[in-house]
Amino acid sequence: MSSPVRIALDVMGGDHGADVVLPGAALALTRHPDIRFLLFGDETKIRAILARHPKLAEASSIVHTDVVVTMEDKPSQALRRGRKVSSMWKAIDAVRLHEADCAVSAGNTGALMAMAKVNLKTMEGISRPAIACLWPTLRGESVVLDVGASIGATAQHLVDMAVMGAAMARIVFDIEKPKVGLLNVGVEEIKGVEEVKEAGATLKAAEHPGLDYRGFVEGNDIGRGVVDVVVTEGFSGNIALKTAEGTAKQFAELLRGVMRSSLMAKIGYLFARGAFALLREKLDPRKSNGGVFLGLNGVVIKSHGGTDAEGFASAIDIGYDMVRYALLSRIEAGIKGRPRAGTSPDGDGSADGAASSELQVSS
Amino acid sequence: MSSPVRIALDVMGGDHGADVVLPGAALALTRHPDIRFLLFGDETKIRAILARHPKLAEASSIVHTDVVVTMEDKPSQALRRGRKVSSMWKAIDAVRLHEADCAVSAGNTGALMAMAKVNLKTMEGISRPAIACLWPTLRGESVVLDVGASIGATAQHLVDMAVMGAAMARIVFDIEKPKVGLLNVGVEEIKGVEEVKEAGATLKAAEHPGLDYRGFVEGNDIGRGVVDVVVTEGFSGNIALKTAEGTAKQFAELLRGVMRSSLMAKIGYLFARGAFALLREKLDPRKSNGGVFLGLNGVVIKSHGGTDAEGFASAIDIGYDMVRYALLSRIEAGIKGRPRAGTSPDGDGSADGAASSELQVSS
């Protein structure tokens, strides 16, 4: 059997902290008995809960921390207050120190990304990280990125995201050449921003061996699952994700409303309750919980802050897979052979552009 | 009784042309007997269909046109081939010539917007138009703009859209001070692009009498209906709209699937079929069909290309309301008293900025 996967948990993160994180870890452990946990947080609290989870206790080491990054902390506040001392920082730091293979936190996204960036730094050749999520579709799931790490991607950022997203998709879907699409708008007159067009031309010309570039996709194509990886800039990606979540909730609420609207509907509901349970299962947001930070020197997974143990376990599962199937070296390999965004200068004149052009040797 | 509302129809536009447009017009006429139609298209075809709609025939004049803008025409092609001669151009031209109060087309969005811009020009004080749609929410509907007219709005464009969207919302929802929100992302670290922040600060400081600015909203707030008007830039707006459409379809397909998954589910469906009919009605995209072009010297409505007569009638209905309740003069009044985007220079150095700064006298 291969060596265990060591996962660092920010036990204090999220709306419910240890009360969700530890039962979630216990659940993930039943599915992956080869996980070893490093638990960062209030030791007394952790020990009290571990008493009810002997198997988890056996698989875990505890590192006491006093400082908690709250859901309201701004990234700058979190760094000021929590650097080196918070459970969130320490979990990430364990990855940097190679004491853990991956960190999972349900703490606030901005703080987690800021700490991960400061502590782990971006990978060689990558100028900035992205957050990828698994998006439930009619055909299964797709990887969608960036859902909110950075705003305003250059063509090269988009190309890099295509490569990183494909590396993740190879693991999650176990396919050699994931289909990749660039999110764009369908109005002929304006057909996309320059960066998206340039990234599209670059990906098309490059024929990168690690991905099958399928051109532009529109918002309605995401849910149809026409590609395995949807690449977009962080502002539009975040808005797409939240809008889809909102629409799904809206639909569910409408459905609940009409099923209570008459006696016949209520009787129908009783007959069909197995079908409704199936629907709930298919739509269960907990199953696709876990945003993967891509482009850092380490694997960091962000769980939804308000999720329950089942949802947190899913976030651990995805971290486990990313480690077990070597996300980082797959990204490294992909980035080495990645296409460079065409004729136009890379980047936007910021340090990003300069940093990545130094690495152009490999293209 | 007030004077009739004169509506110019691009009879040849859309996937089905006259076969949908004319029955749609007949339907709208039953709801608004004071409409007079100007029909632009193939006269023989039109007369054949009008023979089955005597009331519509009575309320209509026909102008024969030979050229049809297809759904595949790029805006530039459409202008080259269709300028002055196509049914689409002629319908818009009737608005310019004050022969009609409004034009409705199911033709392709890019071509329609290009022709409308070239022919009608933007209103004084507005540097570019936007497309607003009615978005079904849990509380009813909201106005969302821009869903795809232009990409990359400046702070001033966003402020102008807030004012124009509020003018439209006052008509549609019959409220004096519509609640307005700016679409943004919820990740603390990056909290929005500069333009959105600046527009937010301007709207907050200005306390424009025509709208109640409520700050930033996120993608999931649209479906909840937390504000009456959601303002965003065209790229993200188009992606949000298409993503929501895709998610709704995905949900509906899942629901259909589970209701066929067992005998019990099928029996349940039979009992609850009234409830499902109600759900379909609530989700009927035809009822909110009709994108309103805002910021032009004339009212132009874009219908979905693939809609049916009921859907096209909805697009006519919204055009009717925009004319009857004086959209243009409401926008004019709003724009006169609109806030100017703060300290930073308006526009992006293009002609847009120059054009609107000339009009700063009224601020």
Side-chain angles (χ1 to χ4, degrees):
Chain A
M1 192 182 150
S2 53
S3 56
V5 171
R6 303 161 306 163
I7 299 183
L9 297 183
D10 167 15
V11 178
M12 313 310 280
D15 297 346
H16 313 293
D19 293 329
V20 155
V21 170
L22 295 178
L27 209 54
L29 189 64
T30 63
R31 303 196 275 243
H32 304 291
D34 58 335
I35 298 179
R36 293 298 166 266
F37 286 109
L38 259 175
L39 307 177
F40 295 90
D42 184 294
E43 186 165 1
T44 318
K45 215 172 218 169
I46 292 175
R47 291 214 180 276
I49 297 173
L50 283 191
R52 299 194 298 273
H53 298 280
K55 282 202 175 147
L56 177 63
E58 212 172 286
S60 302
S61 320
I62 304 170
V63 180
H64 177 77
T65 57
D66 280 317
V67 179
V68 177
V69 172
T70 71
M71 296 308 272
E72 291 72 37
D73 278 338
K74 290 188 179 167
S76 52
Q77 287 175 312
L79 276 171
R80 211 161 40 236
R81 287 203 313 110
R83 190 171 179 154
K84 306 210 168 170
V85 291
S86 63
S87 55
M88 185 186 276
W89 177 275
K90 297 283 255 184
I92 296 166
D93 206 39
V95 175
R96 183 181 64 87
L97 296 168
H98 301 291
E99 291 167 0
D101 303 303
C102 151
V104 184
S105 172
N108 95 60
T109 312
L112 187 66
M113 179 50 94
M115 284 188 169
K117 259 158 71 173
V118 166
N119 199 349
L120 298 174
K121 309 280 187 308
T122 51
M123 293 173 77
E124 197 175 308
I126 295 288
S127 56
R128 61 189 203 184
I131 303 175
C133 74
L134 289 178
W135 186 298
T137 72
L138 279 173
R139 290 158 163 235
E141 283 178 322
S142 297
V143 170
V144 178
L145 74 165
D146 176 10
V147 293
S150 322
I151 276 174
T154 63
Q156 188 63 52
H157 290 139
L158 292 169
V159 168
D160 291 353
M161 283 199 267
V163 173
M164 296 195 293
M168 175 172 161
R170 273 200 291 285
I171 297 176
V172 180
F173 310 133
D174 194 21
I175 39 178
E176 217 26 64
K177 255 189 140 172
K179 296 192 285 289
V180 175
L182 283 171
L183 193 59
N184 202 345
V185 298
V187 181
E188 272 297 341
E189 186 194 8
I190 44 170
K191 216 64 171 184
V193 285
E194 282 314 310
E195 292 79 12
V196 177
K197 285 187 219 170
E198 191 187 334
T202 306
L203 285 166
K204 198 173 173 186
E207 297 184 18
H208 190 285
L211 59 90
D212 175 12
Y213 177 63
R214 293 297 183 100
F216 299 140
V217 295
E218 293 189 52
N220 49 336
D221 296 324
I222 312 178
R224 289 171 56 214
V226 297
V227 288
D228 303 306
V229 182
V230 176
V231 174
T232 189
E233 170 272 340
F235 188 80
S236 45
N238 186 278
I239 283 171
L241 179 67
K242 296 261 173 82
T243 301
E245 285 173 0
T247 306
K249 272 195 191 152
Q250 189 182 345
F251 201 117
E253 197 151 322
L254 276 175
L255 182 58
R256 256 194 303 276
V258 300
M259 293 313 290
R260 290 186 191 127
S261 63
S262 69
L263 183 60
M264 293 288 270
K266 284 175 191 165
I267 294 169
Y269 177 81
L270 288 179
F271 274 99
R273 62 180 182 273
F276 285 106
L278 188 61
L279 182 70
R280 259 192 302 277
E281 199 195 310
K282 279 177 189 287
L283 291 166
D284 188 350
R286 297 176 304 178
K287 289 204 295 185
S288 44
N289 181 33
V292 180
F293 289 7
L294 295 174
L296 298 168
N297 292 307
V299 180
V300 177
I301 310 292
K302 155 75 178 127
S303 159
H304 265 272
T307 196
D308 61 9
E310 183 63 62
F312 196 81
S314 295
I316 294 176
D317 288 345
I318 195 165
Y320 176 90
D321 283 348
M322 293 302 126
V323 172
R324 187 48 90 208
Y325 302 105
L327 176 69
L328 296 190
S329 50
R330 282 169 196 261
I331 293 180
E332 261 166 33
I335 287 298
K336 272 193 190 128
R338 78 179 154 175
R340 305 292 304 181
T343 48
S344 78
D346 177 29
D348 42 15
S350 74
D352 284 357
S356 45
S357 55
E358 281 168 25
L359 296 152
Q360 218 164 334
V361 284
S362 56
S363 70
Chain B
M1 193 181 149
S2 52
S3 55
V5 170
R6 302 161 308 163
I7 298 183
L9 298 184
D10 167 14
V11 178
M12 312 310 280
D15 298 345
H16 313 292
D19 293 329
V20 155
V21 169
L22 294 177
L27 209 54
L29 189 64
T30 62
R31 303 196 278 244
H32 304 291
D34 57 335
I35 298 180
R36 292 299 166 266
F37 287 108
L38 257 174
L39 307 177
F40 294 91
D42 184 293
E43 186 166 2
T44 318
K45 214 172 219 171
I46 292 174
R47 289 212 182 276
I49 297 172
L50 284 190
R52 299 194 299 272
H53 299 280
K55 280 200 176 149
L56 177 62
E58 212 172 284
S60 301
S61 320
I62 304 171
V63 180
H64 176 76
T65 58
D66 280 316
V67 179
V68 177
V69 172
T70 72
M71 296 309 271
E72 291 72 38
D73 278 338
K74 291 188 178 167
S76 52
Q77 288 176 310
L79 276 171
R80 211 160 40 234
R81 289 202 314 110
R83 191 171 179 154
K84 306 211 169 168
V85 292
S86 63
S87 56
M88 186 187 275
W89 176 278
K90 297 283 257 187
I92 296 166
D93 207 40
V95 174
R96 183 182 63 89
L97 296 167
H98 301 290
E99 291 167 359
D101 303 302
C102 151
V104 183
S105 173
N108 94 60
T109 312
L112 188 65
M113 180 49 95
M115 285 188 168
K117 258 159 73 174
V118 166
N119 199 348
L120 298 174
K121 310 275 187 309
T122 50
M123 292 173 78
E124 196 175 308
I126 295 288
S127 56
R128 61 188 202 183
I131 304 176
C133 74
L134 290 178
W135 186 299
T137 72
L138 280 172
R139 289 158 165 239
E141 284 177 321
S142 296
V143 170
V144 178
L145 75 164
D146 176 10
V147 292
S150 323
I151 276 175
T154 62
Q156 186 64 50
H157 290 139
L158 292 169
V159 169
D160 292 353
M161 283 199 267
V163 172
M164 295 195 295
M168 176 172 159
R170 274 200 291 286
I171 295 175
V172 180
F173 310 132
D174 195 20
I175 40 179
E176 216 29 62
K177 255 189 141 172
K179 296 192 284 286
V180 175
L182 283 171
L183 193 59
N184 204 345
V185 297
V187 181
E188 272 296 341
E189 186 196 8
I190 44 171
K191 216 66 172 183
V193 285
E194 282 313 311
E195 292 78 12
V196 177
K197 288 187 216 169
E198 190 187 334
T202 306
L203 286 166
K204 197 172 174 188
E207 297 184 18
H208 190 284
L211 60 91
D212 175 11
Y213 177 62
R214 291 298 182 100
F216 299 140
V217 295
E218 294 189 54
N220 50 336
D221 296 324
I222 311 178
R224 290 170 56 213
V226 298
V227 289
D228 303 306
V229 181
V230 176
V231 174
T232 189
E233 173 272 338
F235 188 80
S236 46
N238 186 277
I239 283 171
L241 179 65
K242 295 261 172 83
T243 302
E245 285 173 359
T247 306
K249 272 194 190 154
Q250 189 182 347
F251 201 118
E253 198 151 320
L254 276 176
L255 182 59
R256 255 194 303 276
V258 300
M259 294 313 289
R260 289 184 192 129
S261 64
S262 69
L263 183 61
M264 291 290 269
K266 285 175 190 164
I267 294 170
Y269 178 81
L270 288 179
F271 275 100
R273 61 182 183 272
F276 286 106
L278 188 61
L279 182 69
R280 259 192 301 278
E281 198 195 311
K282 278 177 189 287
L283 291 166
D284 189 350
R286 299 176 303 179
K287 290 204 296 188
S288 44
N289 181 33
V292 180
F293 290 7
L294 295 174
L296 298 169
N297 291 307
V299 179
V300 177
I301 310 293
K302 156 74 178 130
S303 159
H304 265 272
T307 195
D308 62 8
E310 183 64 61
F312 196 81
S314 295
I316 295 176
D317 288 346
I318 196 167
Y320 176 91
D321 282 350
M322 292 303 127
V323 172
R324 187 48 89 214
Y325 303 104
L327 175 69
L328 296 190
S329 50
R330 281 168 198 261
I331 292 181
E332 261 167 33
I335 287 297
K336 272 191 190 130
R338 78 179 154 173
R340 304 293 301 182
T343 48
S344 78
D346 176 29
D348 43 12
S350 73
D352 285 358
S356 45
S357 57
E358 281 169 23
L359 296 152
Q360 217 165 335
V361 285
S362 56
S363 72

